[in-house]
């Protein structure tokens, strides 16, 4: 790898003032690349034999420092690329895009993204990014590294480290998808060079295994809804399960945030918290009865999960986490009492309604609209995993 870089007075071009531009000249493998420094010099002040400025040149100190700094920068870049055994050409060495890459570490970008997500109120995703950040720090001891340091070898070692710590295949996949998203962000912000992108060779898609299906038959759903208990605290979990089932598999966090404003002309209209996708589904009579049962006129919410006391996003998140834990704990007890083939949670209701609809002949595309998924591939995970009239008719199969 024979490469040289220096600053020359470019005699082949003469400016209107009679001066020649000073150029960066990179020679590699017999090929030359020139790039202007943005300054020029009168040829009488340039020693062409030694390729240096003459001491009597006006602005001698300024131009000497500019030349020395640029030459030093190029030399350091060449040493770095050689030490990393990375391929480069004369053109890419002084390419504008490469020179715009900002000196920001992996640690810096992770922290910026965590703060950005916090400011946007996307606490769930923020915690996921923070979890990957903490995992990488435990693995590598620090993240004061460049994104070019995250190569295929780094990723393989990280995968091995995660497996040694007993993480499940899908959990490892989530870690790597999050890391890949951060790397993509780095390229968007010109912090990382796309030529070094390790995920071209290291395929994250293989880090996936089929998840156990979390759906029940319609008969088992009916048994849950008809469950009787002397413990009055068991009724609310069953009603939340029922509301989830009757309302297109609505997530618990979305139930918690529902207000009377989400009921429009007999439909439940809301933006899904996870994806911000607008959902419109007809309210079945059973769902309307549950709303009437739990909505209090002195509360802004349809269900007694959140209250006026919960003002900040953190307060709301903590409250929802606490309530859903209790709900799922009691649903688990109900499932065990009924001898169900899986652990009963609110998410089982989401999976089950999708499977019941599919078995009734409803298309995956319509089910996707009901559930607010980003793609039919996601919907398929729930199965054995559009217009309003189609959705209205589809939802009747749940009754």
């Amino acid at each position: 790898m024979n490469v040289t870089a220096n600053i020359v007075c470019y005699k082949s071009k003469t400016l209107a003032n009679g001066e020649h531009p000073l150029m960066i000249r990179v020679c590699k493998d017999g090929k030359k690349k020139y790039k202007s420094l943005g300054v020029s010099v009168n040829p009488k002040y340039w020693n062409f034999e030694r390729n240096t400025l003459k001491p009597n040149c006006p602005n001698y100190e300024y131009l000497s420092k500019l030349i020395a700094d640029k030459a030093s920068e190029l030399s350091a870049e060449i040493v770095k690329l050689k030490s990393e055994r990375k391929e480069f050409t004369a053109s890419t060495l002084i390419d504008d895009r490469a020179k715009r890459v900002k000196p920001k570490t992996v640690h810096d970008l992770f922290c910026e993204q965590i703060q950005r997500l916090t400011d946007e109120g996307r606490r769930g995703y923020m915690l996921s990014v923070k979890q990957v950040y903490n995992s990488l720090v435990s693995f590598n001891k620090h993240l004061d590294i460049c994104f070019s340091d995250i190569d295929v070898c780094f990723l393989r070692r990280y995968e091995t480290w995660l497996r040694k710590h007993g993480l499940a295949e899908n959990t490892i996949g989530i870690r790597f998808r999050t890391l890949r998203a951060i790397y993509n962000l780095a390229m968007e912000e010109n912090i990382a060079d796309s030529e070094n992108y390790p995920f071209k060779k290291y395929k994250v898609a293989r880090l996936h295994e089929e998840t156990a299906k979390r759906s029940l038959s319609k008969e088992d759903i009916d048994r849950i809804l008809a469950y009787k208990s002397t413990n009055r605290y068991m009724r609310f979990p069953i009603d939340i399960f029922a509301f989830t089932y009757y309302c297109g598999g609505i997530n618990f966090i979305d139930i918690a945030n529902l207000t009377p404003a989400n009921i429009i002309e007999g439909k439940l209209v809301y933006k899904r918290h996870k994806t911000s996708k607008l959902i419109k589904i007809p309210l079945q009579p059973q769902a309307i009865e549950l709303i009437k049962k739990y909505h209090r006129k002195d509360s802004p919410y349809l269900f007694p999960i959140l209250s006026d006391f919960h003002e900040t996003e953190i307060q709301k998140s903590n409250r929802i986490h606490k309530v859903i834990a209790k709900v799922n704990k009691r649903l688990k007890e109900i499932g065990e009492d009924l001898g169900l083939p899986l652990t009963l949670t609110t998410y089982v209701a989401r999976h089950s309604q999708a499977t019941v609809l599919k078995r009734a002949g409803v298309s995956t595309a319509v089910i996707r609209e009901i559930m607010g998924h980003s793609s039919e591939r996601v919907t398929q995970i729930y199965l054995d995993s559009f217009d309003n009239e189609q959705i209205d008719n589809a939802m009747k199969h749940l009754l």
Side-chain angles (χ1 to χ4, degrees):
M1 185 184 290
N2 184 23
V3 57
T4 61
N6 50 26
I7 310 300
V8 299
C9 184
Y10 195 62
K11 292 192 296 183
S12 298
K13 184 174 183 180
T14 304
L15 303 179
N17 60 2
E19 296 184 344
H20 300 317
L22 292 183
M23 307 280 279
I24 302 170
R25 181 177 64 190
V26 176
C27 303
K28 181 176 185 293
D29 301 329
K31 295 182 179 179
K32 296 179 181 180
K33 177 71 177 180
Y34 290 87
K35 182 172 177 60
S36 174
L37 275 183
V39 294
S40 59
V41 67
N42 190 304
K44 69 180 180 179
Y45 296 122
W46 187 265
N47 187 328
F48 288 95
E49 292 181 1
R50 296 183 178 181
N51 201 34
T52 59
L53 273 173
K54 292 180 179 179
N56 64 338
C57 176
N59 298 321
Y60 176 80
E61 291 185 2
Y62 167 74
L63 290 175
S64 293
K65 186 177 186 306
L66 178 66
I67 291 170
D69 287 347
K70 183 56 65 175
S72 176
E73 179 185 318
L74 283 168
S75 296
E77 183 69 13
I78 291 169
V79 170
K80 179 176 179 292
L81 291 170
K82 284 184 175 181
S83 66
E84 293 176 348
R85 293 185 172 85
K86 291 175 180 174
E87 292 296 325
F88 65 95
T89 66
S91 295
T92 60
L93 182 62
I94 56 176
D95 183 81
D96 279 343
R97 175 178 53 80
K99 296 309 167 191
R100 289 199 300 268
V101 172
K102 303 170 186 176
K104 191 177 292 184
T105 66
V106 175
H107 162 83
D108 293 335
L109 188 60
F110 258 102
C111 290
E112 286 182 9
Q113 179 69 344
I114 289 170
Q115 186 59 53
R116 185 183 298 122
L117 294 171
T118 300
D119 294 341
E120 293 175 356
R122 299 170 64 186
R123 191 166 185 269
Y125 185 39
M126 180 276 290
L127 291 174
S128 179
V129 173
K130 192 172 183 179
Q131 189 176 48
V132 174
Y133 170 82
N134 291 334
S135 173
L136 285 167
V137 169
S138 296
F139 161 67
N140 199 57
K141 308 308 178 188
H142 67 87
L143 288 181
D144 292 322
I145 58 176
C146 298
F147 277 89
S148 59
D149 293 320
I150 300 180
D151 54 16
V152 173
C153 181
F154 180 99
L155 296 177
R156 285 172 179 165
R157 289 190 294 107
Y158 180 46
E159 180 185 342
T160 300
W161 184 84
L162 291 173
R163 294 188 188 284
K164 285 183 178 179
H165 283 73
L167 273 69
E169 190 77 7
N170 286 338
T171 303
I172 294 174
I174 292 171
R175 294 278 199 279
F176 275 91
R177 282 192 291 275
T178 303
L179 176 55
R180 182 178 61 187
I182 293 294
Y183 205 113
N184 290 341
L185 178 62
M187 291 193 298
E188 289 175 13
E189 298 187 6
N190 289 319
I191 299 166
D193 194 326
S194 60
E195 292 182 5
N196 299 329
Y197 192 57
F199 295 100
K200 290 179 182 177
K201 294 182 178 180
Y202 184 92
K203 302 300 181 182
V204 176
R206 65 183 177 77
L207 299 173
H208 171 76
E209 65 181 7
E210 290 296 321
T211 55
K213 300 307 177 184
R214 290 181 281 184
S215 62
L216 293 169
S217 65
K218 201 169 183 180
E219 291 72 26
D220 281 333
I221 296 292
D222 290 338
R223 290 171 62 207
I224 296 168
L225 301 183
Y227 184 83
K228 303 294 182 183
S229 173
T230 56
N231 185 343
R232 64 188 180 92
Y233 294 110
M234 290 296 192
R235 193 65 248 169
F236 182 68
I238 293 174
D239 287 341
I240 289 295
F241 184 94
F243 191 81
T244 301
Y245 177 75
Y246 289 128
C247 292
I250 182 172
N251 291 93
F252 187 85
I253 189 171
D254 293 319
I255 294 176
N257 283 286
L258 290 177
T259 70
N262 294 115
I263 301 176
I264 302 174
E265 298 180 351
K267 294 183 183 294
L268 190 64
V269 181
Y270 68 97
K271 276 192 175 182
R272 193 178 173 203
H273 184 271
K274 184 176 181 179
T275 62
S276 295
K277 183 178 177 63
L278 185 65
I279 309 295
K280 297 180 182 180
I281 56 175
L283 277 170
Q284 307 298 339
Q286 293 89 335
I288 294 173
E289 288 303 314
L290 289 172
I291 291 174
K292 290 179 179 178
K293 178 178 179 179
Y294 287 102
H295 181 226
R296 299 193 308 268
K297 291 184 179 180
D298 61 341
S299 173
Y301 299 100
L302 296 185
F303 290 90
I305 301 171
L306 297 175
S307 68
D308 288 331
F309 173 78
H310 307 104
E311 297 179 351
T312 68
E313 289 301 317
I314 292 179
Q315 287 176 326
K316 290 179 180 180
S317 178
N318 290 340
R319 172 63 178 172
I320 291 170
H321 179 77
K322 182 178 180 180
V323 175
I324 195 173
K326 289 183 177 179
V327 166
N328 281 333
K329 180 176 181 294
R330 288 164 185 160
L331 285 176
K332 180 181 178 182
E333 294 173 6
I334 292 170
E336 291 172 348
D337 193 27
L338 292 173
L340 297 178
L342 45 72
T343 299
L344 192 60
T345 66
T346 57
Y347 226 62
V348 170
R350 181 168 170 80
H351 278 256
S352 296
Q353 66 87 35
T355 300
V356 169
L357 291 175
K358 183 64 176 178
R359 289 172 180 168
V362 179
S363 73
T364 303
V366 173
I367 297 174
R368 170 197 169 188
E369 289 296 311
I370 293 171
M371 301 186 74
H373 285 151
S374 58
S375 68
E376 288 187 32
R377 184 184 66 80
V378 176
T379 305
Q380 195 60 47
I381 296 174
Y382 285 77
L383 305 174
D384 300 332
S385 31
F386 343 123
D387 56 31
N388 290 334
E389 183 178 355
Q390 280 182 298
I391 294 176
D392 290 356
N393 292 332
M395 294 295 289
K396 292 177 182 177
H397 290 292
L398 297 174
L399 307 179

